Amino acid sequence: ENIDKVINEALQKANMEIGDVDAIGVTVGPGLEICLRVGCHRARDLAIEHKKPFVGVHHLEAHILMARIPAERYINKDDSETEDKVLDVSARAMEFPFLALLVSGGHCQILKCLGIGKYYIIGGTLDDSLGEAFDKTARLLGLPVGGGGGPAVEALAKEGDPKSVKLPIPLQKRK
């Protein structure tokens, strides 16, 4: 039921109805299995129900390719909040090749992006991703990790004294 709320909110924000959509895209991996399963099943059902093409999207490639879609900042006159407005996608913001820093879930990599589906991994973490490190830290501190370790550690940090431990300023003597 939550996924339907998200879908309806996305359509509403885009000022669209499901009939206006050309295809149903969904993340097929990599990612958390339960999330992928819920999304894929709902997307499949929507595609069948509304006779739309079903498009499987690689999660990490989608993050990388978002850099190629230009966005223009504008003020929404209704509530004065700044939002992104996608421009004509034929005018690409970034051309291949380019470098990408990918930090998503269990992945932290630097890639040379040569084209769609063509990536060379320059380097990456040998251990856990940042999110996993926060989860482990939260567990070691006995914090609840149901909403993720990052928010739990952040909430605890807000209660702390920022001057209790003197930390050095890195690269202070470097010019």
Side-chain angles (χ1 to χ4, degrees):
E1 72 187 55
N2 285 335
I3 194 165
D4 288 325
K5 290 178 188 175
V6 171
I7 293 166
N8 290 331
E9 184 178 331
L11 287 168
Q12 184 180 20
K13 283 185 176 183
N15 199 24
M16 297 175 74
E17 295 179 10
I18 194 75
D20 301 323
V21 174
D22 295 325
I24 306 294
V26 64
T27 301
V28 294
L32 298 173
E33 190 274 332
I34 183 74
C35 301
L36 295 172
R37 185 169 10 106
V38 168
C40 285
H41 285 171
R42 188 63 185 120
R44 178 202 59 203
D45 293 346
L46 283 171
I48 292 169
E49 179 183 347
H50 297 282
K51 298 177 177 47
K52 303 284 183 181
F54 177 93
V55 180
V57 178
H58 188 281
H59 174 195
L60 303 177
E61 185 171 40
H63 281 298
I64 293 167
L65 293 178
M66 288 301 297
R68 298 191 68 226
I69 299 177
E72 175 183 88
R73 304 295 283 176
Y74 75 99
I75 302 296
N76 183 337
K77 292 184 172 83
D78 295 337
D79 56 15
S80 299
E81 288 185 25
T82 302
E83 296 182 9
D84 287 336
K85 176 182 177 185
V86 176
L87 301 174
D88 177 11
V89 292
S90 64
R92 299 297 182 202
M94 191 171 300
E95 296 296 327
F96 291 111
F98 62 88
L99 291 177
L101 171 61
L102 180 64
V103 182
S104 174
H107 302 87
C108 186
Q109 300 171 328
I110 297 175
L111 303 110
K112 182 175 181 181
C113 305
L114 304 169
I116 294 175
K118 297 177 185 173
Y119 306 98
Y120 174 75
I121 299 173
I122 295 171
T125 54
L126 296 175
D127 52 4
D128 295 332
S129 71
L130 188 56
E132 290 172 346
F134 272 118
D135 289 347
K136 285 182 178 181
T137 300
R139 280 191 211 96
L140 285 170
L141 294 172
L143 301 173
V145 293
V153 171
E154 180 182 14
L156 183 63
K158 287 179 179 178
E159 297 174 13
D161 177 4
K163 296 182 181 188
S164 65
V165 177
K166 185 171 173 72
L167 297 173
I169 299 173
L171 306 174
Q172 187 175 13
K173 295 178 183 177
R174 186 174 180 182
K175 294 182 180 186

